[in-house]
């Protein structure tokens, strides 16, 4: 038996794992107690990846769909057939007729991210979509304008902070996003233990808030009001850090803008008492160090860009950006920013045909994908490559999106499984999982509080005919006459070199000690030094922007909304929640992560249930302007009254290869059938979909019938 050290690639935390290998098979996967940073931490999903690796429902061979039946093909046949179709569609309808959708797991697989960029560059299509427009494009759009690159994402310095203001996240369940966060509870408790504060702003008292810190209830989709009002208090009471403001541009304009958000109105709209807003603002400004952070609950609101901007403005004006205990910019984020600029130049992304959305971080809003497919005209999308994604469940639109996907001339899904989206594809191509491929945490280098480098070889050889995305894309590009990275000969060269040989080049470009990083378990790097980022900003001559015009363009819209929300009775609003034993749509097929019974339940406050005559355990109709679902109910007095919560990623389909997930009666419902897609439904600056705060009604189903 050999014990191989590797790491988990399901989320940002990148927890160290050890794999026991006997006769070429992994027999056990466990947390790595000796990992220099994660030190034996892993959530329940990491070790469960062994079951994904061995899952009999995994794709093993390329397959083609003929009507409802799937047939195996050789890689040669599949590559040639897809290449020919792709070439013909491009020839007849032009480069924009081919779209690519890249899903969330690409953030944790360096070659999937980089090779997809090269494939899209070669296709010369504008139609590059990703899960980011369902998750975080507001953060990218804002960072680009405030800090000069979307790759510069300040991370909360939790291990030193005196005040953690956390909006719209549930670290104990999710390990957060945009920061590597192993051992979340231990680290949050340490803040309180050393006399600091942890404030969780959320419409639900989460598993995290129950365990640590203070809860501030907020009505869904009103965070921008709270944050702008806090900034107002800071400016009105002259609590801003003068020296910090000198490194910025636009502070006066920002001060004028926040004056339009009266504390009393913000309180009426958000449900956060006025005294609390004032106290939070004063305490945040007065703390020796403080860090404001928001995650998906806020990103997915109707004003995600303004809200995230206000979060970072709080950090900046109180002098907490790039201060120990504040919001840090890891030095390697600057290397990522350079890499991002290079790929952007290759690709020259263009605005969307439908809705004219500007690309954010190089991709267009998935919320217009159905329109791009269904709307005739020049540039209509006719072919789609879905790489590590399940937009049918993760994106809005429900049945309309299904209709659009089903109408495509060519759809190819590159995935571990045939998921619900893949079931509509013409071809499914099987990929390796993280036990079967070499890797290093590319995206995470910009978000590590404790920087480390780790390059891991494959633990075992791929099972069946699984291949890496890099290899698959290079072969498809060659078969279709597409030039990877738009460079002559690149497809040929990459085909010979293989992704594995390119890794040292990429990691060297990011300033990595490649040799040491290859040591089992990786190597802990020197801590980032607070202040370095601001010095680089000063040297670059472009100060931090506190009044980007197109971000503040949201102010009139938001003040009008504030007025509406501050008067009148608030409607019932739907929010999401993540679940420990689930990862978006794709870990529902593992018996060890499936408890008995249905996990996709609508949580409702007992008062709201009573007002509607709804009883615990029964099924109800849940309706929005866009759709209707029937779901079972559970009572939850940790919710703010007026708010209901349903997790996403459910609504599994027997046409997918997930037999456990699609077991009758436990498939759950696709919450995104209730979310609106189309250009008018999206946040104008970032193209983000609105999942937080959808107006809904809940009705009991007729009983006894
Ligand atoms: N209502 C609502 N909707 C949401 C959210 C929400 O909170 N509420 N959250 C949003 C967020 S934050 C996100 S990130 C998106 C996610 O949106 P998507 O990325 O579209 O969906 P996932 O469910 O994460 O599906 C990932 C797919 O990748 C496959 N996969 C896993 N690992 C690999 C790999 O290494 N290679 C390949 N090729 N495939 C792999 C899995 O089998 C799965 O089919 O969903 C969004 N949708
Ligand atoms: N176990 C598990 N872990 C995961 C995932 C998973 O599916 N399962 N997904 C991964 C992914 S892709 C991501 S992006 C991260 C996301 O990580 P998080 O952003 O921490 O995701 P959630 O746990 O869904 O927390 C969102 C919180 O926002 C709250 N909320 C909803 N609406 C609002 C609002 O309007 N205002 C405020 N202030 N709060 C609101 C919800 O109650 C919820 O507690 O998690 C990652 N980790
Ligand atoms: S927190 Fe869980 S899913 Fe995320 S990297 Fe660690 S073990 Fe994997
Ligand atoms: Mo996400």
């Amino acid at each position: 038996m050999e014990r191989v050290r590797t790491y988990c690639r399901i989320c940002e935390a990148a927890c160290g794992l050890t794999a026991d290998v006997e006769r070429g098979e992994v027999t056990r996967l466990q947390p790595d107690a000796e990992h220099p940073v994660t030190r034996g931490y892993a959530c329940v999903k990491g070790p469960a990846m062994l079951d994904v690796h061995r899952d009999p429902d995994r794709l093993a061979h390329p397959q083609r769909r003929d009507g409802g039946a799937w047939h195996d093909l050789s890689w040669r046949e599949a590559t040639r057939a897809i290449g020919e179709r792709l070439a013909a569609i491009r020839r007849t309808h032009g480069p924009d007729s081919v779209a690519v959708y890249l899903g969330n797991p690409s953030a944790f697989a360096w070659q999937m991210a980089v090779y997809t960029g090269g494939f899209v560059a070669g296709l010369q299509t504008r139609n590059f979509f990703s899960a980011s427009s369902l998750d975080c494009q507001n953060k990218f759009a804002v960072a680009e304008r405030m800090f000069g690159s979307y790759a510069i994402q300040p991370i909360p310095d939790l291990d030193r902070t005196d005040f953690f203001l956390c909006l719209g996240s549930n670290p104990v369940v999710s390990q957060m996003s945009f920061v590597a966060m192993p051992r979340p509870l231990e680290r949050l408790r340490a803040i309180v233990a050393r006399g600091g504060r942890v404030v969780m702003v959320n419409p639900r008292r989460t598993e995290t808030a129950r365990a640590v810190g203070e809860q501030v209830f907020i009505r869904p989709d009103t965070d921008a009001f709270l944050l702008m009002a806090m900034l107002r208090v800071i400016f009105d009471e002259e609590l801003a850090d003068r020296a910090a403001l000198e490194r910025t541009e636009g502070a006066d304009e920002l001060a004028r803008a926040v004056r339009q958000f009266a504390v009393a109105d913000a309180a009426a709209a958000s449900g956060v008492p006025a005294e609390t807003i004032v106290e939070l603002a004063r305490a945040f400004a007065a703390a020796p160090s403080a860090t404001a952070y928001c995650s998906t609950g806020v990103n997915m609101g109707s004003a995600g860009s303004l809200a995230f901007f206000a979060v970072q403005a709080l950090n900046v004006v109180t002098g907490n950006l790039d201060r120990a205990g504040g919001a840090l910019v890891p030095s390697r984020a600057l290397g990522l920013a350079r890499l991002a600029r290079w790929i952007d130049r290759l690709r020259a992304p263009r605005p969307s045909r439908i809705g004219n959305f500007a690309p954010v971080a190089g991709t267009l809003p998935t919320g217009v994908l159905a329109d791009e497919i269904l709307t005739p005209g020049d540039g209509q999308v006719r072919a789609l490559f879905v790489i590590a994604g399940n937009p049918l469940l993760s994106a809005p639109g429900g049945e309309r999106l299904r209709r659009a996907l089903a109408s495509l001339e060519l759809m190819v899904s590159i995935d571990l499984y045939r998921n619900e989206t893949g079931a509509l594809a013409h071809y499914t191509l099987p990929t390796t999982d993280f036990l079967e491929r070499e890797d290093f945490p590319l995206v995470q280098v910009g978000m590590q509080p404790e920087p480390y480098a780790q390059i891991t070889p494959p633990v075992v050889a791929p099972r069946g005919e699984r291949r890496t995305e890099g290899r698959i894309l290079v072969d498809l590009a060659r078969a279709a006459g597409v030039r990877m990275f738009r460079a002559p000969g690149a497809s040929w060269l990459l085909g010979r070199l293989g992704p594995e040989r390119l890794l040292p080049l990429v990691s060297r470009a990011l300033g990595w000690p490649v040799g040491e990083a290859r040591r089992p378990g990786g190597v802990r790097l020197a801590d980032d030094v607070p202040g370095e980022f601001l010095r680089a900003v000063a040297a670059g001559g472009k100060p931090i922007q506190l009044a980007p015009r197109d971000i503040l363009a949201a102010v009139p819209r938001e003040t009008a909304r504030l007025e509406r929300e501050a008067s009148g009775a608030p409607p019932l609003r739907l929010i999401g929640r993540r679940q420990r034993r689930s990862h978006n749509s794709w870990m529902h097929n593992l018996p060890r992560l499936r408890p008995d019974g249905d996990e996709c339940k609508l949580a409702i406050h007992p008062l709201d249930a009573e007002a509607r005559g709804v009883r615990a355990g029964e099924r109800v109709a849940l309706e929005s302007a866009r759709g209707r679902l029937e779901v079972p109910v559970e009572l939850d007095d940790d919710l703010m009254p007026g708010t209901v919560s349903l997790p996403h990623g459910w609504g599994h389909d027997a046409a997918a290869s997930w037999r456990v997930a699609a077991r009758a009666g436990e498939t759950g419902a696709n919450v995104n059938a209730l979310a609106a897609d189309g250009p008018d439904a999206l946040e104008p600056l970032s193209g983000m979909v609105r999942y937080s705060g959808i107006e809904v009604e809940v009705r009991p189903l007729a009983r006894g019938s």
Side-chain angles (χ1 to χ4, degrees):
M1 194 272 285
E2 190 196 0
R3 179 159 289 182
V4 183
R5 295 175 73 184
T6 183
Y7 73 92
C8 176
R9 277 151 269 177
I10 298 174
C11 84
E12 277 95 321
C15 299
L17 299 174
T18 60
D20 293 352
V21 181
E22 282 170 58
R23 285 185 289 277
E25 290 288 341
V26 184
T27 53
R28 214 166 156 198
L29 198 57
Q30 301 172 87
D32 180 359
E34 280 152 41
H35 189 276
V37 170
T38 61
R39 303 201 290 275
Y41 177 84
C43 80
V44 64
K45 291 169 296 168
M49 195 66 192
L50 179 56
D51 296 359
V52 171
H53 174 68
R54 319 192 267 213
D55 192 339
D57 292 344
R58 278 277 293 278
L59 298 173
H61 309 283
Q63 289 192 316
R64 181 177 54 219
R65 182 170 57 84
D66 297 309
W70 288 88
H71 301 288
D72 289 355
L73 292 77
S74 69
W75 273 108
R76 240 180 118 85
E77 290 168 317
T79 306
R80 181 180 306 157
I82 296 167
E84 277 170 13
R85 271 317 276 132
L86 173 58
I89 291 172
R90 291 184 79 224
R91 232 180 0 255
T92 316
H93 302 289
D96 287 336
S97 62
V98 182
V100 174
Y101 173 88
L102 183 61
N104 168 266
S106 64
F108 316 109
W110 84 272
Q111 48 85 15
M112 181 167 19
V114 171
Y115 279 67
T116 300
F119 186 62
V120 174
L123 288 170
Q124 298 186 47
T125 176
R126 68 166 97 192
N127 287 310
F128 185 19
F129 302 93
S130 75
S132 300
S133 53
L134 315 172
D135 172 353
C136 59
Q137 288 289 58
N138 61 319
K139 291 192 168 183
F140 291 143
V142 167
E144 187 83 43
R145 288 158 177 84
M146 281 184 97
F147 307 125
S149 169
Y150 67 80
I152 295 178
Q153 293 289 341
I155 60 171
D157 187 8
L158 296 179
D159 299 332
R160 286 183 282 195
T161 198
D162 298 291
F163 194 132
F164 178 40
L165 177 65
C166 179
L167 303 100
S169 181
N170 185 8
V172 165
V173 166
S174 71
Q175 284 77 31
M176 301 164 71
S177 67
F178 279 64
V179 57
M181 188 63 179
R183 297 176 284 108
L185 192 54
E186 182 188 319
R187 293 164 74 187
L188 296 179
R189 282 191 168 141
I191 299 173
V192 176
R194 59 178 182 261
R197 282 176 74 178
V198 171
V199 177
M200 309 298 297
V201 181
N202 200 305
R204 182 169 167 259
R205 188 192 311 275
T206 61
E207 291 76 358
T208 310
R210 258 182 257 143
V212 62
E214 306 156 42
Q215 165 75 20
V216 172
F217 282 107
I218 188 166
R219 280 197 198 111
D221 201 15
T222 61
D223 300 81
F225 307 147
L226 165 72
L227 292 158
M228 293 298 271
M230 283 176 67
L231 281 165
R232 178 188 171 138
V233 172
I234 287 171
F235 280 109
D236 279 359
E237 301 188 2
E238 296 187 12
L239 305 175
D241 181 317
R242 294 263 133 230
L245 290 186
E246 267 161 35
R247 291 185 290 257
T248 66
E249 219 165 62
D252 293 341
E253 250 174 282
L254 174 61
R256 276 197 297 280
V258 300
R259 244 160 242 137
Q260 299 179 56
F261 294 82
V263 170
D265 291 344
S270 68
V272 180
E275 317 77 82
T276 306
I277 299 178
V278 173
E279 192 278 329
L280 284 177
R282 289 179 183 158
F284 192 89
S289 70
T291 186
Y293 164 89
C294 74
S295 191
T296 56
V298 174
N299 298 349
M300 295 173 182
S302 58
S305 293
L306 187 67
F308 178 64
F309 166 74
V311 162
Q312 292 309 335
L314 268 177
N315 289 327
V316 172
V317 305
T318 55
N320 280 298
L321 181 72
D322 206 20
R323 168 197 277 174
L328 297 183
V329 179
S331 60
R332 271 153 290 270
L334 303 177
L336 270 185
R338 277 192 298 277
L339 193 67
R341 265 194 290 277
W342 178 73
I343 292 188
D344 264 9
R345 262 202 302 277
L346 268 180
R347 279 209 38 232
R350 287 167 286 140
S352 62
R353 178 177 69 117
I354 306 293
N356 195 33
F357 286 90
V360 178
T363 69
L364 297 175
T366 302
V368 298
L369 177 59
D371 294 86
E372 294 285 4
I373 297 171
L374 293 171
T375 314
D378 228 17
Q380 179 180 8
V381 169
R382 291 159 192 273
L384 176 67
F385 289 79
V386 178
I387 305 168
N390 195 6
L392 195 58
L393 298 193
S394 58
E399 282 310 304
R400 183 158 172 271
L401 180 60
R402 179 190 294 277
R403 230 182 332 112
L405 296 175
S407 75
L408 288 162
E409 289 174 29
L410 173 67
M411 175 161 42
V412 179
S413 164
I414 302 177
D415 207 285
L416 310 179
Y417 293 95
R418 181 168 76 237
N419 62 26
E420 284 68 23
T421 309
L424 298 172
H426 301 97
Y427 297 89
T428 54
L429 303 178
T431 48
T432 50
D433 55 61
F434 72 63
L435 294 170
E436 301 168 321
R437 64 171 189 252
E438 185 174 28
D439 229 324
F440 81 104
L442 168 67
V443 171
Q444 288 102 315
V445 301
M447 36 179 90
Q448 295 171 323
E450 295 177 81
Y452 72 96
Q454 182 169 15
I455 295 177
T456 50
V459 173
V460 285
R463 288 188 160 205
E465 291 193 282
R466 301 169 186 171
R467 287 185 179 173
T468 61
E469 294 82 359
R471 164 127 193 242
I472 295 171
L473 292 171
V474 167
D475 288 348
L476 287 178
R478 292 178 70 191
V482 166
R483 286 179 184 166
M484 286 293 283
F485 294 99
R486 250 175 129 166
S491 299
W492 178 84
L493 190 68
L494 292 174
R496 315 222 92 196
L497 279 180
E500 291 74 15
R501 299 252 194 96
L502 282 177
L503 187 144
L505 296 178
V506 175
S507 55
R508 214 167 282 142
L510 293 169
W512 262 36
V514 176
E516 288 172 69
R518 282 195 185 278
R519 284 210 299 255
V523 57
R524 177 77 161 79
L525 305 173
D527 278 335
D528 286 307
V529 181
E532 264 182 12
F533 171 66
L534 289 177
R535 271 193 291 283
V537 166
K542 190 158 189 281
I544 287 157
Q545 300 298 307
L546 282 182
R549 192 161 310 141
D550 49 4
I551 294 177
L552 292 187
V555 166
R557 201 171 59 235
E558 288 307 305
T559 47
R561 190 166 70 96
L562 175 60
E563 235 169 81
R564 283 198 306 279
E565 300 264 328
S567 54
L572 192 62
R573 290 222 159 101
L574 174 68
I575 61 171
R577 67 176 186 277
R578 277 175 168 66
Q579 300 171 297
R580 258 184 239 273
R581 289 173 305 230
S582 168
H583 202 82
N584 298 323
S585 73
W586 68 275
M587 293 196 92
H588 297 153
N589 205 52
L590 310 181
R592 84 155 107 167
L593 295 186
R594 291 302 297 268
D596 293 334
D598 201 331
E599 263 211 327
C600 177
K601 288 185 180 150
L602 181 75
I604 186 169
H605 191 277
L607 291 174
D608 290 322
E610 201 191 328
R612 288 163 181 81
V614 165
R615 298 183 209 140
E618 77 175 334
R619 290 177 74 79
V620 295
L622 175 65
E623 291 169 355
S624 75
R626 280 303 181 106
R628 178 182 187 276
L629 299 175
E630 292 187 7
V631 282
V633 146
E634 67 186 7
L635 300 185
D636 183 356
D637 54 15
D638 282 320
L639 272 169
M640 189 178 193
T643 311
V644 290
S645 158
L646 189 67
H648 73 287
W650 294 90
H652 293 294
D653 188 333
S657 71
W658 284 328
R659 281 176 296 182
V660 177
R663 221 158 37 192
E666 294 180 30
T667 58
N670 176 12
V671 65
N672 289 334
L674 304 178
D677 70 342
D680 300 333
L682 309 181
E683 203 252 316
L685 185 69
S686 65
M688 280 288 291
V689 172
R690 181 173 174 212
Y691 290 137
S692 285
I694 299 173
E695 292 184 20
V696 289
E697 212 18 273
V698 172
R699 280 179 246 286
L701 296 175
R703 291 194 185 99
S705 57

